[in-house]
Amino acid sequence: MPAYNAGPFIATAIEAVQAQTIDGWELVIVDDCSTDSTLAIARSYAASDTRIRVFGRTAPSGGAYVPRTEAIGYARGEIIAPLDADDSIGPDYLERMLGHKRRGDLQAVYPICYDWDGAGEPVLHHLPDFALTGRALRGRDAVKYTLDGWRIHCAGGLIDKDLMLRSIAMTDEVAGGIMSFFDEYLTRILLYNAGRVAMVDERYLYRVNTGSVTHSRDIRRLGTLGNNRRLIDFVESRYPTGSEERLLVHRQNFHGVVDAMRMLRRLELDRNESADARRQIAANRALIDRKILKGRVSPRYSLLLRMPLILSMPLLRIADVIMGCRQAASGAQRPR
């Protein structure tokens, strides 16, 4: 459990683990220099439950990746179950997930992710491909279901520790810089390295927290651009020319550039941050493979991305308005 400024939520997450219907678990919490009561709350639970161990980092990492991987290193068990400090699980989550894992001889098993506000009825985080539910996949084949949209959910889960450690070791050469969204990169490496994986019909409760990096309105949101650059290198070094994985990773980068340009309009950045954001957008634009994407992305947005950023930014606003009007008139999904 990585934790950062989760004071209002971490007790719920800890108690969800304590309520599990199986024993033999330990909870390892690594606090990423929280400035609120998170660390104190975690330590209060550890003081009364020896199955809980708490570690505090001496410098903040800026994302969940570093404290999560440190927690995995501290873990004494053979199976890792990631749980963020503001999320939750049902009381039979570990028991049921472990049953799926053993029956399917799986190295990684993932639940379906539901958005949850802590009180109301959970709703799907986003729509996965339910035809894949319960289906064992070769790990390297599962990667394509995470590109240009998550057709399988990969939050939480039960994962062999040795698989996690091997996958984390493969990220060392690309680690550094903005660490937000680096978990998503690790997920693809983990899947690639796994023998058999599956998404199963169990619930992981993802708390919709407007204070998280995912929902923040600052430059860390542009960490998706660096993530997409890493993914292009990863996929192109492992999948052949003409593969579905290559098409999907390049479509993800194309859509990511368009979304980053929209984000740049909305974010309130200072001069240096704005310059850095524009450099990152330019780096990802340079990686757009127009040959592989021909006929596979919106020609209007493709034309925009051929223009200098100073021209394409205002034109993107106009294009979004036009496409939004057409969508409203037709009821069709706006092409990206």
Side-chain angles (χ1 to χ4, degrees):
M1 180 182 291
Y4 176 74
N5 285 359
F9 315 118
I10 191 170
T12 298
I14 293 172
E15 290 173 9
V17 178
Q18 290 178 314
Q20 292 301 299
T21 54
I22 60 171
D23 294 319
W25 55 261
E26 67 167 354
L27 174 58
V28 181
I29 302 170
V30 174
D31 179 77
D32 197 29
C33 299
S34 294
T35 58
D36 68 355
S37 59
T38 298
L39 183 57
I41 294 171
R43 284 175 170 167
S44 70
Y45 279 91
S48 60
D49 191 334
T50 58
R51 299 172 297 179
I52 301 172
R53 294 190 292 148
V54 179
F55 301 86
R57 303 195 75 250
T58 57
S61 69
Y65 175 79
V66 171
R68 190 189 315 282
T69 55
E70 288 183 359
I72 292 165
Y74 292 133
R76 294 177 289 213
E78 297 178 357
I79 299 173
I80 302 298
L83 176 66
D84 284 356
D86 53 355
D87 295 341
S88 190
I89 51 178
D92 60 352
Y93 174 85
L94 290 179
E95 182 176 7
R96 293 177 64 85
M97 291 288 287
L98 189 59
H100 289 293
K101 187 178 185 302
R102 287 172 172 168
R103 286 191 297 272
D105 189 24
L106 305 169
Q107 284 72 60
V109 57
Y110 292 101
I112 295 176
C113 186
Y114 286 78
D115 287 344
W116 179 63
D117 64 5
E121 180 64 22
V123 297
L124 276 171
H125 181 61
H126 61 75
L127 190 65
D129 184 347
F130 282 108
L132 297 171
T133 306
R135 176 179 159 193
L137 302 167
R138 188 172 65 149
R140 62 170 294 140
D141 295 335
V143 171
K144 66 185 174 189
Y145 299 116
T146 73
L147 299 173
D148 197 35
W150 293 82
R151 287 176 282 170
I152 60 173
H153 287 185
C154 293
L158 263 62
I159 304 151
D160 285 347
K161 183 181 179 180
D162 67 337
L163 172 61
M164 290 287 287
L165 293 177
R166 284 189 289 114
S167 301
I168 290 167
M170 290 176 62
T171 69
D172 290 343
E173 61 193 48
V174 296
I178 295 175
M179 297 300 294
S180 52
F181 301 96
F182 206 80
D183 270 332
E184 296 189 4
Y185 179 69
L186 175 62
T187 294
R188 276 62 173 239
I189 294 178
L190 193 151
L191 289 174
Y192 185 87
N193 289 337
R196 287 163 57 87
V197 303
M199 176 182 72
V200 297
D201 191 13
E202 306 296 342
R203 289 186 174 190
Y204 180 92
L205 303 180
Y206 171 79
R207 190 185 294 267
V208 181
N209 178 6
T210 55
S212 69
V213 172
T214 307
H215 293 89
S216 66
R217 293 177 64 85
D218 65 32
I219 197 170
R220 291 177 300 167
R221 287 285 294 127
L222 295 176
T224 56
L225 293 171
N227 186 51
N228 286 342
R229 293 195 296 271
R230 289 186 288 258
L231 281 175
I232 289 173
D233 288 342
F234 179 79
V235 169
E236 290 192 339
S237 65
R238 290 166 175 80
Y239 294 91
T241 301
S243 64
E244 185 178 358
E245 288 82 3
R246 287 203 177 199
L247 166 62
L248 291 172
V249 78
H250 279 286
R251 282 208 323 199
Q252 177 166 318
N253 181 54
F254 179 92
H255 296 153
V257 169
V258 174
D259 289 342
M261 290 167 62
R262 293 186 182 116
M263 197 182 309
L264 184 57
R265 289 203 317 254
R266 298 192 302 268
L267 294 176
E268 297 179 1
L269 304 178
D270 63 29
R271 191 174 189 176
N272 291 334
E273 288 175 333
S274 179
D276 179 60
R278 290 170 184 270
R279 282 193 295 269
Q280 289 199 59
I281 290 172
N284 285 61
R285 278 171 53 130
L287 293 176
I288 291 174
D289 189 327
R290 302 189 184 280
K291 182 177 180 181
I292 196 174
L293 293 176
K294 186 176 181 179
R296 306 298 184 95
V297 293
S298 165
R300 297 174 183 84
Y301 292 107
S302 184
L303 179 61
L304 280 178
L305 294 191
R306 291 179 181 272
M307 301 177 182
L309 194 60
I310 194 171
L311 294 177
S312 57
M313 286 285 289
L315 290 174
L316 176 61
R317 183 193 300 269
I318 296 171
D320 282 346
V321 170
I322 292 172
M323 296 305 295
C325 290
R326 289 183 178 174
Q327 180 187 11
S330 66
Q333 182 177 0
R334 184 177 72 205
R336 300 182 69 186

